[in-house]
Amino acid sequence: MTKERVLIVSTHPLFRDGIIRLLGDQADVVGAVTNWQEAQELPAGRRPQVIIVDHDSPELKEADLAPLLWPDASDLRVIYVTLAGDKMVVHERHQVAGAGEADLLRALKGERQETLPYGQSSQPPQDSQGRVTRMEQPSQRRNYTRHFIIVTVLVVITTAISLFILSRIPWLLPPATTQAGPVDALLSLHVVAIAFLFALVMVFMLYSLVVFRRKGDEDGDGDHFEGNTKLEITWTIIPLITVLIFSYLGAVGLRQVTAAQPNEMVVEATAFSFGWQFSYPELGLQNSPKLNLPVDRPIHLKMQSRDTDVIHNFWVPEFRVKQDLVPGVPAELRITPNRIGNYLVRCNELCGTGHTYMLAEVNVLDQAGFDAWVEEQKAVLSPEQMAQRGEDLVNASGCIACHNITGDPGGIGPTWKGMFNHQVQLADGSTVVADEEYLKNSIIDPNGQIVAGYNPGLMPANYADLFSEEQLQYMIEYFKILE
Ligand code: CUA
């Protein structure tokens, strides 16, 4: 039997020498070169039938070889080989085609099925156990089909379990406006999509980890894949359509929750560091620290921020809708409360020291209850009622972020306990009696008289704009009862 002409290509001299030694006299080595350029310079009569390429020389790309060498070659085979110590792994066109020296020698002895034009293959390459290693082949595709069926079933089951678990978790407080309907519907749809995507990713990943893990003494490379156009089109088109559908549903939902309603009542909301005030221009009510609303009446909330440097956010979780309040930018929300109950406005932008305290009571009342509250707001108050309003005001205005009524030391601002009509030591060394005038000045001009041990510039200086004279009086009445 005639020996095959073999060309060895590698940038590593050890590889070239190693292969020559392994081949011994079983092959006719026509050359051992370092790159394709040198290979091209071989004499015409010494054209190789087999090219052994160093699989670990990444610069030796098969694609570069094709236009360079013998374009009319019809019986040329390129074998990619890895040398690791005394171990040799044979690759064919980047496919694992054998697992050792014997395979290479068998190939060199002409034990291949037929001679093929360069770059083609009439049948799938096989590994040393005769298993097909190319996934494009029908026999292999059947094999993968089985995996895909199992994975599909697992994805469906995992989606169902995820949905079941997610549906048992009370994510949301019960809705309390008509606007909550479209929001919750869209969210439920998102949860379905999320459960499916979670299942898709986790099942494929865990299945691959378990089923295709390295077994026993396997040490070959995995299958080589050259892309899959169908798959890439599929995973582009399906998410694109999904996103478009969600965009459309989102736009429709947004239009529903922002649409003007008949018979709306305007309520003006003002945010400040750190509290809320609500005015009812149609009812002549100003600066209420509580947001009281009649049930089933559409409300048009017109909102603004009194601050110049931070963003607040109007958010009542049960109402579902929320709105940022950027200084200088008027904002609005439309809500139709449909469930009687007590809720809280929670500022939903981190806005400073008192952010946590930036809450406002929300009471959705029946019409009679709401009317009674409006009347009560307009009535002449006793000192006790004024003190109660003052307490509501300081609680709703973030004051308690810095001041306490317990007398505990260490607050950002002085305690209010026992303050009224007592001597106060000021930072400039003087003392003053905490009478009504001092208290009022301390609210509207907080840096005027700093109490010893406290820092100027911390308390907002815009309370004269926020609170009416009456409201300042309510607060003073409240301080009076804090013995
Ligand atoms: Cu205002 Cu957080």
Side-chain angles (χ1 to χ4, degrees):
M1 147 180 197
T2 56
K3 294 176 186 171
E4 287 202 290
R5 292 189 300 277
V6 174
L7 171 66
I8 302 166
V9 191
S10 171
T11 51
H12 304 289
L14 283 177
F15 179 91
R16 299 195 297 267
D17 295 347
I19 296 292
I20 290 170
R21 201 164 45 244
L22 276 167
L23 292 177
D25 61 354
Q26 296 179 84
D28 174 12
V29 178
V30 298
V33 297
T34 58
N35 57 48
W36 298 127
Q37 239 72 32
E38 289 178 29
Q40 202 183 19
E41 288 157 15
L42 286 172
R46 302 290 286 156
R47 185 171 73 70
Q49 293 158 300
V50 177
I51 302 179
I52 296 177
V53 185
D54 185 356
H55 190 251
D56 297 327
S57 293
E59 62 276 18
L60 297 175
K61 291 278 181 293
E62 202 179 335
D64 302 329
L65 162 73
L68 252 154
L69 283 169
W70 315 289
D72 56 339
S74 62
D75 64 340
L76 180 66
R77 279 168 303 125
V78 180
I79 302 173
Y80 278 77
V81 168
T82 303
L83 259 192
D86 57 348
K87 231 173 170 226
M88 186 164 77
V89 179
V90 176
H91 305 257
E92 189 167 1
R93 301 190 60 245
H94 293 279
Q95 308 294 323
V96 177
E101 185 185 338
D103 300 281
L104 172 62
L105 297 178
R106 200 161 56 233
L108 290 173
K109 283 174 188 163
E111 286 176 14
R112 62 189 192 275
Q113 301 302 314
E114 58 192 279
T115 304
L116 294 168
Y118 164 72
Q120 293 180 25
S121 176
S122 70
Q123 69 171 45
Q126 299 182 341
D127 66 13
S128 55
Q129 278 108 55
R131 286 189 304 229
V132 175
T133 56
R134 295 275 295 268
M135 85 166 286
E136 297 86 9
Q137 298 307 316
S139 58
Q140 186 70 356
R141 197 175 292 147
R142 259 201 307 281
N143 203 9
Y144 278 95
T145 304
R146 189 175 61 87
H147 290 302
F148 274 115
I149 291 170
I150 296 170
V151 163
T152 305
V153 171
L154 288 175
V155 165
V156 170
I157 293 171
T158 310
T159 304
I161 293 172
S162 306
L163 264 181
F164 176 74
I165 293 171
L166 289 174
S167 69
R168 308 295 289 187
I169 299 173
W171 303 107
L172 299 169
L173 295 166
T177 60
T178 57
Q179 284 78 8
V183 176
D184 287 2
L186 194 56
L187 189 74
S188 305
L189 210 55
H190 268 111
V191 169
V192 175
I194 287 164
F196 171 71
L197 281 176
F198 172 80
L200 195 67
V201 172
M202 297 312 283
V203 168
F204 264 92
M205 185 182 75
L206 294 177
Y207 188 86
S208 303
L209 281 175
V210 172
V211 176
F212 299 113
R213 72 187 186 282
R214 207 186 86 169
K215 291 167 193 116
D217 57 352
E218 280 182 351
D219 59 357
D221 284 356
D223 286 352
H224 178 76
F225 296 94
E226 285 289 348
N228 187 324
T229 310
K230 268 188 218 161
L231 189 61
E232 286 181 27
I233 290 174
T234 307
W235 75 34
T236 305
I237 296 290
I238 291 179
L240 181 68
I241 292 172
T242 310
V243 167
L244 287 176
I245 290 173
F246 273 107
S247 308
Y248 173 75
L249 295 176
V252 169
L254 187 64
R255 199 177 58 185
Q256 284 174 343
V257 301
T258 56
Q261 308 288 324
N263 193 28
E264 279 177 342
M265 178 170 75
V266 172
V267 176
E268 294 169 354
T270 302
F272 56 92
S273 297
F274 299 96
W276 301 89
Q277 285 187 346
F278 305 94
S279 295
Y280 300 71
E282 294 159 26
L283 305 173
L285 289 186
Q286 298 293 318
N287 298 4
S288 165
K290 294 178 186 173
L291 177 60
N292 280 12
L293 299 171
V295 72
D296 292 330
R297 175 84 188 267
I299 304 295
H300 185 187
L301 263 182
K302 294 185 173 176
M303 299 182 286
Q304 58 165 334
S305 170
R306 283 290 184 134
D307 288 326
T308 53
D309 48 0
V310 292
I311 299 174
H312 303 289
N313 183 296
F314 179 94
W315 181 47
V316 181
E318 292 89 344
F319 291 178
R320 296 297 190 266
V321 290
K322 61 203 258 190
Q323 176 63 47
D324 263 357
L325 299 176
V326 179
V329 182
E332 58 176 14
L333 268 185
R334 287 191 153 88
I335 44 176
T336 308
N338 59 5
R339 192 159 57 83
I340 290 173
N342 307 313
Y343 314 100
L344 273 181
V345 179
R346 298 168 188 277
C347 176
N348 205 242
E349 292 285 359
L350 188 55
C351 53
T353 328
H355 164 71
T356 326
Y357 296 93
M358 196 165 162
L359 308 168
E361 233 179 85
V362 181
N363 301 302
V364 176
L365 309 162
D366 60 22
Q367 190 62 48
F370 181 74
D371 292 342
W373 175 75
V374 172
E375 285 313 307
E376 186 193 309
Q377 294 302 300
K378 292 177 170 174
V380 178
L381 301 177
S382 67
E384 291 76 26
Q385 288 171 314
M386 287 164 73
Q388 180 59 51
R389 292 245 180 119
E391 182 176 0
D392 291 346
L393 268 175
V394 299
N395 286 337
S397 305
C399 312
I400 48 168
C402 301
H403 301 278
N404 67 52
I405 59 170
T406 56
D408 294 335
I412 295 169
T415 181
W416 292 332
K417 183 183 167 68
M419 168 180 62
F420 183 68
N421 263 347
H422 283 74
Q423 294 274 332
V424 175
Q425 181 78 44
L426 296 183
D428 63 7
S430 63
T431 55
V432 65
V433 173
D435 56 10
E436 292 201 12
E437 193 184 344
Y438 164 81
L439 292 175
K440 184 179 164 187
N441 287 337
S442 294
I443 298 171
I444 62 178
D445 180 19
N447 296 320
Q449 292 169 299
I450 294 295
V451 177
Y454 294 92
N455 293 316
L458 293 178
M459 181 162 154
N462 62 347
Y463 288 156
D465 301 331
L466 283 169
F467 300 115
S468 65
E469 285 291 326
E470 285 158 334
Q471 288 179 313
L472 292 172
Q473 194 57 45
Y474 298 160
M475 288 188 239
I476 289 164
E477 293 298 330
Y478 172 59
F479 298 145
K480 284 182 186 175
I481 63 169
L482 294 173
E483 294 294 339

